[in-house]
Amino acid sequence: LALFGAFSAGKSSFANALLGERVLPVSPHPTTAAINRILAPQDGFAHGTAQVMMKSPETFKEDLEYSFSVLQLGTPDETGWLQAIEQLKPEGIHPAGLPHFGFLKAAAAGWQEAEPLLGSVQTVDMDGYKAFVADETRSCFVERIDLYYSCPLTEQGIVLVDTPGADSLHARHTGVTFQYMKHADAIVFVTYYNHAFSKGDRQFLTQLGRVKDSFALDKMFFIVNAADLASSEEELEQVVKHVETNLKARGIRLPHIYPVSSMKALEAKLDGNAGLYEESAFEAFEKALGAFAGEELPKLSLASAIQEMSAVRQRVTEWGRMARQDAGTREQRRAQLGDVNKQALERIDAFARQDVSREVDQETRELMFHVKQRIGFSLGGFFTEAFHPSVLREDAGQLKRIFTDCGRELERTIVHELEQELWATTLRLENKGKAVLRTAAEAAVEDIRGYDPVILLAPPEEKSWAAPEWKEQGLASFVDWSTYWALFKSPKQFFESGGREKLRNTVEPVIKEALSEEAARKQEWLASYYSDLVGSAQARQKEALKEQLQEAMEAATASLSSGEQPESWGQLAAQLQDMEQSLA
């Protein structure tokens, strides 16, 4: 169960209400929050014990370099970075850079204690755990924390993952967030009552909208936290409607929205107060989650089990038919099976030689074309958001620096958008590759069944494919903003006399060219990567089908030789049909 949401959304309060105890500290300043997993005690770890995985020196250095680049501080010197941070003042920093300012100040304050711990794994008790989570001078050095905690939720086998905020400042969290989005059984997005969606929220929800239809089930739940702040039912309905409108605008149709009071729910659980629990409105969400985990998820496994059982029943029915044949006919059938086996092996080899990667290549081209189109259409909004009157003000001082900061923020937004689009594209390509393979395998299996109805093979199910690891950094700073400073005369001229539009018209072709070149590089790389994955899966499936064929031939030969009574097979087939119907 993966929790997402901005830092101010009350994720910790919500997690505590779900756990029924005050486990997570609620008031940190966590712009650098680590991934926080809460799970039942296992592997020798006692209740209330946490494993704290510290960042490696290389990872911390990357985070340091990224924040330095955002604040235009150059490359951090190995000996002088602490002094550079000491001299850093918040004045004149673009709002998007302030979280990086906070991270660097926390890192400098905690460096002496943290430096010898980098790359290590610390085992701590609950007090130690809360210190690592709540104290930013420590949390900024943490990669991940696993807390082993026994409570009703974790003892059901649920692993609660508190992810970095949707507005996390670390670039690498884009990929980490996507992996949790992809692999989590359920996703919970928490927003706070009456808070506007942050930029990070909007980017995250847009990504959810991109990938939602790629999942077998609708596994998303949306929480409006602190719903008890509503002065009336009408006001609460308006807020829920506002959230729903924002979700729909980002491609999330028919969202499941639950307004709750996490604070009341936790108090109610701690005190055993049924009335307060009802007031919290938490029950509606917990019931929905319980139905999803206890009914909808198992249905996927049941459907697969029923399908396999049906295949076995058909095979048993065929064995029964063979058993009714006289000895001479059975002997003749045994001889025929040798020819059938040869034909089937040839068909499996033909499936393995089939070039299915062309469809994946075509899909990659189409997807990347639409990626460029969507980002191109969004440039106007990104531009307006980056070069905003609230930032470029007469009284701001250092306008030239802030102008460049606005440009860099626009670049980072475009880079982030492209990264998100690429991650969504990997999911679509994985699904496409699996679908193409399944179609080819099903055709082979159907042909083989035509050779002899007793040979019932099933196309192997593909597990999740490994996501790509981007080899190069990709787009970084691709516009020289100092060359465009001449277009900025004053905030009044820029925002009221067409200066911003002139800048946009001048810079947009440069951005689109850089975007197009990067998209072309990624398209080539993705096509090659997924073609290789399809080829590997094809080879795996070939071996799996041959193994199934061997088992089917051995079973058919044995049934022809055993002289088993037809009634036995008929009875077994009837029992299997009863089981299928009871599970359906």
Side-chain angles (χ1 to χ4, degrees):
L1 178 66
L3 286 184
F4 295 96
F7 292 122
S8 57
K11 279 191 301 169
S12 299
S13 297
F14 177 79
N16 286 341
L18 207 51
L19 294 162
E21 298 176 41
R22 289 191 177 89
V23 180
L24 285 163
V26 172
S27 56
H29 182 302
T31 51
T32 53
I35 294 163
N36 208 334
R37 296 198 317 159
I38 303 169
L39 60 166
Q42 61 187 46
D43 301 330
F45 288 98
H47 167 71
T49 305
Q51 260 196 314
V52 182
M53 277 61 82
M54 306 296 289
K55 289 177 184 174
S56 68
E58 296 74 24
T59 299
F60 177 71
K61 188 182 175 203
E62 284 172 17
D63 290 345
L64 204 60
E65 287 173 350
Y66 185 63
S67 289
F68 263 63
S69 72
V70 170
L71 298 178
Q72 298 186 61
L73 298 175
T75 303
D77 182 85
E78 286 205 14
T79 53
W81 67 271
L82 285 166
Q83 288 81 356
I85 293 171
E86 198 176 313
Q87 294 163 17
L88 196 58
K89 299 285 189 290
E91 290 77 31
I93 291 178
H94 187 280
L98 290 174
H100 293 271
F101 170 82
F103 163 69
L104 291 177
K105 288 293 186 184
W111 176 246
Q112 191 172 351
E113 183 186 338
E115 184 186 11
L117 301 179
L118 290 179
S120 70
V121 178
Q122 305 292 310
T123 302
V124 297
D125 59 13
M126 282 301 293
D127 288 339
Y129 166 75
K130 289 182 177 180
F132 270 111
V133 173
D135 181 353
E136 198 181 4
T137 64
R138 292 181 170 190
S139 67
C140 68
F141 297 100
V142 174
E143 185 69 40
R144 194 177 91 237
I145 305 179
D146 284 353
L147 173 65
Y148 298 94
Y149 200 88
S150 179
C151 66
L153 187 86
T154 59
E155 291 302 338
Q156 290 176 59
I158 293 175
V159 177
L160 187 64
V161 183
D162 187 13
T163 67
D167 42 9
S168 169
L169 60 87
H170 292 319
R172 72 176 185 287
H173 282 158
T174 301
V176 173
T177 296
F178 179 77
Q179 294 308 317
Y180 276 106
M181 195 187 290
K182 176 182 174 181
H183 294 296
D185 294 303
I187 291 170
V188 178
F189 181 84
V190 183
T191 186
Y192 195 76
Y193 182 84
N194 262 353
H195 273 204
F197 285 116
S198 69
K199 181 178 178 179
D201 281 334
R202 296 195 303 274
Q203 288 173 330
F204 175 81
L205 291 170
T206 300
Q207 183 71 331
L208 269 187
R210 287 187 191 111
V211 301
K212 187 174 187 281
D213 292 338
S214 299
F215 301 135
L217 291 174
D218 181 359
K219 60 182 183 179
M220 301 174 190
F221 300 84
F222 299 92
I223 302 297
V224 178
N225 211 355
D228 52 318
L229 295 178
S231 58
S232 65
E233 280 295 321
E234 291 74 25
E235 184 182 305
L236 182 58
E237 279 177 26
Q238 284 176 353
V239 171
V240 170
K241 192 72 182 168
H242 168 72
V243 171
E244 185 178 8
T245 302
N246 273 275
L247 295 177
K248 285 181 177 175
R250 279 154 185 84
I252 301 169
R253 302 177 299 279
L254 303 173
H256 305 294
I257 303 173
Y258 300 90
V260 304
S261 168
S262 296
M263 198 179 295
K264 283 187 177 180
L266 177 60
E267 282 179 32
K269 287 185 178 183
L270 290 172
D271 299 340
N273 187 329
L276 191 60
Y277 180 67
E278 190 178 339
E279 273 182 50
S280 74
F282 215 77
E283 186 177 18
F285 166 72
E286 291 197 307
K287 276 188 172 176
L289 180 65
F292 177 79
E295 294 170 24
E296 289 187 53
L297 278 178
K299 274 181 188 173
L300 289 179
S301 301
L302 277 175
S304 178
I306 291 167
Q307 197 174 350
E308 288 192 34
M309 206 174 286
S310 175
V312 173
R313 177 176 53 78
Q314 290 173 51
R315 193 174 300 170
V316 166
T317 303
E318 185 60 26
W319 289 342
R321 195 177 67 78
M322 288 193 299
R324 290 189 192 93
Q325 296 169 341
D326 59 51
T329 307
R330 288 206 304 272
E331 185 58 42
Q332 189 181 356
R333 190 73 194 285
R334 260 199 305 273
Q336 287 174 344
L337 284 176
D339 292 335
V340 168
N341 188 51
K342 186 180 175 186
Q343 271 185 294
L345 285 170
E346 286 173 358
R347 183 63 182 88
I348 291 170
D349 284 335
F351 154 73
R353 289 192 303 271
Q354 194 174 338
D355 183 7
V356 295
S357 63
R358 283 178 301 174
E359 290 187 56
V360 176
D361 188 56
Q362 174 67 22
E363 182 80 356
T364 309
R365 283 200 297 275
E366 288 181 13
L367 288 172
M368 290 306 293
F369 170 77
H370 291 298
V371 165
K372 286 188 294 182
Q373 291 284 94
R374 281 193 294 273
I375 296 178
F377 291 145
S378 302
L379 279 178
F382 296 157
F383 203 94
T384 302
E385 194 171 46
F387 290 89
H388 197 270
S390 65
V391 180
L392 283 162
R393 306 186 315 271
E394 290 284 6
D395 61 345
Q398 301 184 54
L399 277 174
K400 186 174 182 179
R401 175 181 171 166
I402 294 176
F403 174 85
T404 303
D405 280 348
C406 290
R408 292 275 173 262
E409 176 60 17
L410 173 62
E411 287 178 87
R412 281 192 297 276
T413 299
I414 293 165
V415 168
H416 183 274
E417 199 69 12
L418 179 58
E419 284 176 351
Q420 295 279 59
E421 286 277 13
L422 287 171
W423 283 119
T425 300
T426 65
L427 187 53
R428 291 180 183 128
L429 286 175
E430 179 178 332
N431 287 343
K432 177 67 174 181
K434 288 176 179 176
V436 166
L437 266 180
R438 186 158 189 90
T439 300
E442 282 174 347
V445 163
E446 193 59 36
D447 287 349
I448 291 167
R449 188 178 180 184
Y451 304 155
D452 194 308
V454 79
I455 309 302
L456 290 162
L457 309 184
E461 286 292 334
E462 279 294 313
K463 293 188 171 66
S464 185
W465 290 356
E469 293 180 12
W470 310 113
K471 301 296 181 191
E472 76 250 13
Q473 188 60 41
L475 284 179
S477 294
F478 46 94
V479 179
D480 180 2
W481 292 100
S482 62
T483 61
Y484 300 101
W485 170 241
L487 295 173
F488 186 93
K489 309 298 182 192
S490 69
K492 184 177 174 65
Q493 169 270 338
F494 191 69
F495 294 110
E496 295 177 22
S497 303
R500 181 165 62 179
E501 286 69 30
K502 189 174 181 181
L503 174 67
R504 179 188 159 187
N505 292 335
T506 309
V507 175
E508 207 167 274
V510 178
I511 293 172
K512 284 187 173 178
E513 185 180 352
L515 184 63
S516 188
E517 288 173 2
E518 179 63 13
R521 281 192 294 270
K522 288 294 194 285
Q523 176 181 307
E524 186 179 342
W525 195 87
L526 282 169
S528 171
Y529 180 84
Y530 280 94
S531 291
D532 288 348
L533 281 185
V534 167
S536 300
Q538 215 167 346
R540 278 196 307 273
Q541 294 203 7
K542 169 189 167 182
E543 294 309 314
L545 286 171
K546 282 188 172 180
E547 195 176 312
Q548 284 185 38
L549 175 64
Q550 185 180 345
E551 289 173 358
M553 295 303 296
E554 287 172 357
T557 304
S559 69
L560 284 166
S561 306
S562 65
E564 189 73 52
Q565 291 301 311
E567 294 77 14
S568 303
W569 294 123
Q571 190 178 7
L572 180 55
Q575 286 175 332
L576 286 165
Q577 189 159 24
D578 287 344
M579 288 173 71
E580 278 179 67
Q581 289 170 349
S582 70
L583 290 173

